[in-house]
Amino acid sequence: MTLAARDLTLDGRLSGVTLSLEPGTITAICGPNGAGKSSLLEALAGLLAPDAGEVLMDDVLLTSLPPRKRAQRIGYLPQASEIAWDVPVRSLVELGRMPHGDRARGPVEAALKAQAAASPVADRILFVGRVPHQAVERYYSLIDILAYPRKKMRLTDLVTPLKPLEAMAQGKLVAASDVGGHRELIVNGVTGTLFAPDDPPAIAAALAELLRDRDIWDERRRTARAFVEADRNWSSNILRYEPVYQRLLRRGAASLAA
């Protein structure tokens, strides 16, 4: 792959830069602070749009390539980056595999498949990979219980996921780890089942109990779906957020007036 810039100009930081990065070579960009080194790298990665000039990958305009195609071929490591939540280093690095879609494999996939193959119910364990959007509803129709074993970390305590809501809206039973994001959606024993996070035996026990107690399934499904319809629709979301935006707008107007 050849990455090239022609007459690249960017907001006073770069002016008429032309270069070609050839495969099998290492190029070092040197200069004082503020010379535009980081800006040049961001422009070459397609993260900054130049005021003039163009960036080409194998003689094709970088801007003409879909983001996924660009991300499959260009890796960009900034000189500084702030991670908003606790993420293991391995998980952070693995994000670089996301643009590769079905070819992206986790570091323990082979071990998990071997463990599944050794299970007495191996014929019931499927690794389906990424499901096409148009097939999601069909997959839901085949499932009785959806389990969400999120690890406990700052991210999962603060961020509320959408997938459990999607499952409840489909009339499916939901079991999830007892972390903050899940507790916003699930009342244990009412709209779903919560189990201790980072505790495989607790997951197994919760799912086994749910499978045994089938008499509660219909009522649980109805209650969970009613919760989604009443409290997690767009109208109710707007009612929650509109006052917040109105306060921010009034505060901004007051600051401008002062």
Side-chain angles (χ1 to χ4, degrees), residues 10-34:
L10 180 63
D11 191 27
R13 290 169 280 177
L14 303 173
S15 180
V17 174
T18 296
L19 60 82
S20 180
L21 306 176
E22 302 293 335
T25 63
I26 297 175
T27 301
I29 301 173
C30 303
N33 290 340

Side-chain angles (χ1 to χ4, degrees), residues 179-196:
V179 295
H182 285 154
R183 286 195 297 272
E184 287 191 27
L185 309 177
I186 299 168
V187 177
N188 189 38
V190 179
T191 57
T193 295
L194 293 173
F195 49 77

Side-chain angles (χ1 to χ4, degrees), residues 147-150 175-177 193 195-209:
Y148 301 96
R150 275 185 153 195
S177 49
T193 295
F195 49 77
D198 305 303
D199 187 345
I203 300 172
L207 292 175
E209 182 179 355

Side-chain angles (χ1 to χ4, degrees), residues 10-139:
L10 180 63
D11 191 27
R13 290 169 280 177
L14 303 173
S15 180
V17 174
T18 296
L19 60 82
S20 180
L21 306 176
E22 302 293 335
T25 63
I26 297 175
T27 301
I29 301 173
C30 303
N33 290 340
K37 303 183 297 298
S38 297
S39 298
L40 175 58
L41 291 176
E42 290 180 19
L44 290 173
L47 302 175
L48 282 180
D51 298 320
E54 56 191 15
V55 177
L56 301 103
M57 180 187 293
D58 291 336
D59 296 322
V60 176
L61 278 174
L62 192 64
T63 53
S64 70
L65 297 174
R68 179 182 291 272
K69 291 292 185 183
R70 276 183 267 163
Q72 287 173 352
R73 305 189 68 186
I74 296 177
Y76 172 71
L77 182 64
Q79 60 183 342
S81 181
E82 180 180 347
I83 307 301
W85 50 79
D86 298 329
V87 178
V89 172
R90 169 175 271 179
S91 298
L92 188 64
V93 173
E94 286 170 1
L95 293 176
R97 293 296 304 162
M98 290 183 65
H100 297 272
D102 285 338
R103 286 176 289 173
R105 303 301 181 193
V108 296
E109 184 190 48
L112 288 173
K113 285 187 173 181
Q115 186 177 353
S119 167
V121 291
D123 60 327
R124 303 293 183 92
I125 301 173
L126 302 176
F127 290 78
V128 298
R130 186 183 295 272
V131 176
H133 180 72
Q134 63 272 19
V136 169
E137 190 169 358
R138 183 167 61 86
Y139 274 76

